[in-house]
Amino acid sequence: QVQLVESGGGLVQAMGSLRLSCAASGTIFSINVMAWYRQAPGKQRELVASISSGGSTNYAHPVKGRFTISRDNAKNTVYLQMNSLKPEDTAVYYCYAAVSQSGTYWGQGTQVTVSS
């Protein structure tokens, strides 16, 4: 079993920055894809950014140029640096991991609130 623990959410003013972290623990051989999703009230969960084990990244259009995803494979940790935050970025942010020989896992979510 694998657990994902997120940290770093909070309240920030528009144009501010936050850094989210997500650490995976448990029985882990290797992690293929790690990603961040978000879900705003009344909306479906959507992909924000993903990163492969080799470092290839993919971003949703609304966050390109503002958010940066990175990972530390030795620590089984993924990060999301969020800059120039907008009120429309307000959501619960979830960490996702696809673990080799195990399955896919989600974190519990961390609230990000951006005030105007």
Side-chain angles (χ1 to χ4, degrees), residues 6 8-11 18 20 39-41 89-93 108-114:
E6 299 135 338
L11 173 64
L18 283 174
L20 305 182
Q39 187 167 19
D89 294 318
T90 295
V92 178
Y93 283 70
Q108 80 284 358
T110 185
Q111 177 70 47
V112 171
T113 302
V114 184

mmCIF file of all heavy atoms in Angstrom, residues 6 8-11 18 20 39-41 89-93 108-114:
data_model
loop_
_atom_site.group_PDB
_atom_site.id
_atom_site.type_symbol
_atom_site.label_atom_id
_atom_site.label_comp_id
_atom_site.label_asym_id
_atom_site.label_seq_id
_atom_site.Cartn_x
_atom_site.Cartn_y
_atom_site.Cartn_z
ATOM 1 N N GLU A 6 0.163 15.407 1.219
ATOM 2 C CA GLU A 6 0.384 16.725 0.620
ATOM 3 C C GLU A 6 0.597 17.775 1.702
ATOM 4 O O GLU A 6 0.101 17.644 2.821
ATOM 5 C CB GLU A 6 -0.818 17.127 -0.229
ATOM 6 C CG GLU A 6 -1.101 16.188 -1.386
ATOM 7 C CD GLU A 6 -2.573 15.864 -1.503
ATOM 8 O OE1 GLU A 6 -3.281 16.014 -0.497
ATOM 9 O OE2 GLU A 6 -3.010 15.455 -2.583
ATOM 10 N N GLY A 8 1.491 22.392 2.005
ATOM 11 C CA GLY A 8 1.834 23.639 1.340
ATOM 12 C C GLY A 8 0.671 24.493 0.890
ATOM 13 O O GLY A 8 0.882 25.596 0.387
ATOM 14 N N GLY A 9 -0.546 24.011 1.030
ATOM 15 C CA GLY A 9 -1.686 24.836 0.639
ATOM 16 C C GLY A 9 -1.899 25.978 1.613
ATOM 17 O O GLY A 9 -1.232 26.093 2.633
ATOM 18 N N GLY A 10 -2.847 26.847 1.278
ATOM 19 C CA GLY A 10 -3.157 27.955 2.157
ATOM 20 C C GLY A 10 -3.858 29.080 1.438
ATOM 21 O O GLY A 10 -4.364 28.910 0.325
ATOM 22 N N LEU A 11 -3.867 30.229 2.103
ATOM 23 C CA LEU A 11 -4.516 31.439 1.581
ATOM 24 C C LEU A 11 -3.429 32.405 1.111
ATOM 25 O O LEU A 11 -2.474 32.681 1.837
ATOM 26 C CB LEU A 11 -5.376 32.085 2.671
ATOM 27 C CG LEU A 11 -5.994 33.442 2.348
ATOM 28 C CD1 LEU A 11 -6.988 33.324 1.202
ATOM 29 C CD2 LEU A 11 -6.656 34.018 3.596
ATOM 30 N N LEU A 18 2.730 30.020 -4.067
ATOM 31 C CA LEU A 18 2.677 28.919 -3.118
ATOM 32 C C LEU A 18 3.444 27.752 -3.711
ATOM 33 O O LEU A 18 3.522 27.608 -4.935
ATOM 34 C CB LEU A 18 1.241 28.473 -2.831
ATOM 35 C CG LEU A 18 0.386 29.311 -1.899
ATOM 36 C CD1 LEU A 18 -1.041 28.752 -1.877
ATOM 37 C CD2 LEU A 18 0.948 29.334 -0.488
ATOM 38 N N LEU A 20 3.450 23.588 -3.356
ATOM 39 C CA LEU A 20 2.865 22.362 -2.834
ATOM 40 C C LEU A 20 3.893 21.236 -2.890
ATOM 41 O O LEU A 20 4.696 21.167 -3.830
ATOM 42 C CB LEU A 20 1.627 21.964 -3.626
ATOM 43 C CG LEU A 20 0.518 23.007 -3.766
ATOM 44 C CD1 LEU A 20 -0.662 22.406 -4.541
ATOM 45 C CD2 LEU A 20 0.070 23.524 -2.430
ATOM 46 N N GLN A 39 -9.716 20.538 -7.990
ATOM 47 C CA GLN A 39 -11.169 20.527 -8.099
ATOM 48 C C GLN A 39 -11.725 21.748 -7.393
ATOM 49 O O GLN A 39 -11.578 21.891 -6.175
ATOM 50 C CB GLN A 39 -11.763 19.249 -7.516
ATOM 51 C CG GLN A 39 -13.249 19.103 -7.758
ATOM 52 C CD GLN A 39 -13.759 17.714 -7.452
ATOM 53 O OE1 GLN A 39 -13.112 16.930 -6.745
ATOM 54 N NE2 GLN A 39 -14.917 17.365 -7.988
ATOM 55 N N ALA A 40 -12.349 22.605 -8.169
ATOM 56 C CA ALA A 40 -13.009 23.794 -7.634
ATOM 57 C C ALA A 40 -14.458 23.442 -7.298
ATOM 58 O O ALA A 40 -15.009 22.483 -7.859
ATOM 59 C CB ALA A 40 -12.954 24.916 -8.648
ATOM 60 N N PRO A 41 -15.082 24.196 -6.416
ATOM 61 C CA PRO A 41 -16.474 23.910 -6.050
ATOM 62 C C PRO A 41 -17.399 23.880 -7.266
ATOM 63 O O PRO A 41 -17.353 24.784 -8.107
ATOM 64 C CB PRO A 41 -16.832 25.065 -5.123
ATOM 65 C CG PRO A 41 -15.526 25.493 -4.539
ATOM 66 C CD PRO A 41 -14.529 25.312 -5.635
ATOM 67 N N ASP A 89 -7.612 30.086 -9.619
ATOM 68 C CA ASP A 89 -6.805 28.935 -9.214
ATOM 69 C C ASP A 89 -7.289 28.335 -7.896
ATOM 70 O O ASP A 89 -6.793 27.277 -7.473
ATOM 71 C CB ASP A 89 -5.333 29.328 -9.067
ATOM 72 C CG ASP A 89 -4.690 29.732 -10.385
ATOM 73 O OD1 ASP A 89 -4.949 29.065 -11.403
ATOM 74 O OD2 ASP A 89 -3.929 30.718 -10.386
ATOM 75 N N THR A 90 -8.230 28.997 -7.246
ATOM 76 C CA THR A 90 -8.772 28.498 -5.984
ATOM 77 C C THR A 90 -9.411 27.136 -6.188
ATOM 78 O O THR A 90 -10.277 26.961 -7.043
ATOM 79 C CB THR A 90 -9.791 29.475 -5.417
ATOM 80 O OG1 THR A 90 -9.131 30.705 -5.079
ATOM 81 C CG2 THR A 90 -10.465 28.916 -4.179
ATOM 82 N N ALA A 91 -8.963 26.159 -5.405
ATOM 83 C CA ALA A 91 -9.445 24.790 -5.536
ATOM 84 C C ALA A 91 -8.789 23.924 -4.474
ATOM 85 O O ALA A 91 -7.849 24.362 -3.796
ATOM 86 C CB ALA A 91 -9.125 24.226 -6.928
ATOM 87 N N VAL A 92 -9.272 22.703 -4.361
ATOM 88 C CA VAL A 92 -8.556 21.679 -3.605
ATOM 89 C C VAL A 92 -7.599 20.997 -4.583
ATOM 90 O O VAL A 92 -8.030 20.551 -5.655
ATOM 91 C CB VAL A 92 -9.511 20.658 -2.977
ATOM 92 C CG1 VAL A 92 -8.707 19.576 -2.241
ATOM 93 C CG2 VAL A 92 -10.478 21.346 -2.016
ATOM 94 N N TYR A 93 -6.353 20.940 -4.229
ATOM 95 C CA TYR A 93 -5.327 20.356 -5.088
ATOM 96 C C TYR A 93 -4.992 18.954 -4.575
ATOM 97 O O TYR A 93 -4.717 18.766 -3.394
ATOM 98 C CB TYR A 93 -4.081 21.235 -5.105
ATOM 99 C CG TYR A 93 -4.250 22.457 -5.974
ATOM 100 C CD1 TYR A 93 -5.112 23.490 -5.594
ATOM 101 C CD2 TYR A 93 -3.588 22.579 -7.187
ATOM 102 C CE1 TYR A 93 -5.301 24.603 -6.399
ATOM 103 C CE2 TYR A 93 -3.757 23.690 -8.000
ATOM 104 C CZ TYR A 93 -4.621 24.696 -7.601
ATOM 105 O OH TYR A 93 -4.809 25.798 -8.399
ATOM 106 N N GLN A 108 -4.910 13.258 -0.007
ATOM 107 C CA GLN A 108 -6.157 13.655 0.644
ATOM 108 C C GLN A 108 -6.635 15.028 0.185
ATOM 109 O O GLN A 108 -7.783 15.402 0.427
ATOM 110 C CB GLN A 108 -5.983 13.648 2.173
ATOM 111 C CG GLN A 108 -5.277 14.886 2.740
ATOM 112 C CD GLN A 108 -3.778 14.891 2.520
ATOM 113 O OE1 GLN A 108 -3.201 13.963 1.969
ATOM 114 N NE2 GLN A 108 -3.126 15.963 2.973
ATOM 115 N N GLY A 109 -5.758 15.767 -0.478
ATOM 116 C CA GLY A 109 -6.125 17.088 -0.973
ATOM 117 C C GLY A 109 -5.662 18.195 -0.040
ATOM 118 O O GLY A 109 -5.648 18.029 1.182
ATOM 119 N N THR A 110 -5.290 19.317 -0.625
ATOM 120 C CA THR A 110 -4.905 20.492 0.152
ATOM 121 C C THR A 110 -5.562 21.722 -0.473
ATOM 122 O O THR A 110 -5.575 21.880 -1.690
ATOM 123 C CB THR A 110 -3.373 20.649 0.203
ATOM 124 O OG1 THR A 110 -3.017 21.732 1.063
ATOM 125 C CG2 THR A 110 -2.752 20.881 -1.170
ATOM 126 N N GLN A 111 -6.139 22.549 0.362
ATOM 127 C CA GLN A 111 -6.900 23.711 -0.117
ATOM 128 C C GLN A 111 -5.957 24.852 -0.495
ATOM 129 O O GLN A 111 -5.074 25.218 0.280
ATOM 130 C CB GLN A 111 -7.876 24.188 0.952
ATOM 131 C CG GLN A 111 -8.663 25.430 0.585
ATOM 132 C CD GLN A 111 -9.690 25.165 -0.497
ATOM 133 O OE1 GLN A 111 -10.438 24.190 -0.443
ATOM 134 N NE2 GLN A 111 -9.760 26.050 -1.495
ATOM 135 N N VAL A 112 -6.189 25.405 -1.657
ATOM 136 C CA VAL A 112 -5.504 26.622 -2.096
ATOM 137 C C VAL A 112 -6.574 27.671 -2.350
ATOM 138 O O VAL A 112 -7.497 27.447 -3.137
ATOM 139 C CB VAL A 112 -4.682 26.376 -3.372
ATOM 140 C CG1 VAL A 112 -4.153 27.699 -3.926
ATOM 141 C CG2 VAL A 112 -3.532 25.427 -3.086
ATOM 142 N N THR A 113 -6.471 28.798 -1.667
ATOM 143 C CA THR A 113 -7.430 29.878 -1.827
ATOM 144 C C THR A 113 -6.684 31.148 -2.208
ATOM 145 O O THR A 113 -5.756 31.551 -1.510
ATOM 146 C CB THR A 113 -8.221 30.116 -0.528
ATOM 147 O OG1 THR A 113 -8.883 28.912 -0.147
ATOM 148 C CG2 THR A 113 -9.260 31.219 -0.728
ATOM 149 N N VAL A 114 -7.096 31.739 -3.317
ATOM 150 C CA VAL A 114 -6.462 32.955 -3.816
ATOM 151 C C VAL A 114 -7.473 34.092 -3.728
ATOM 152 O O VAL A 114 -8.530 34.032 -4.361
ATOM 153 C CB VAL A 114 -5.970 32.786 -5.257
ATOM 154 C CG1 VAL A 114 -5.215 34.036 -5.711
ATOM 155 C CG2 VAL A 114 -5.082 31.554 -5.393
#
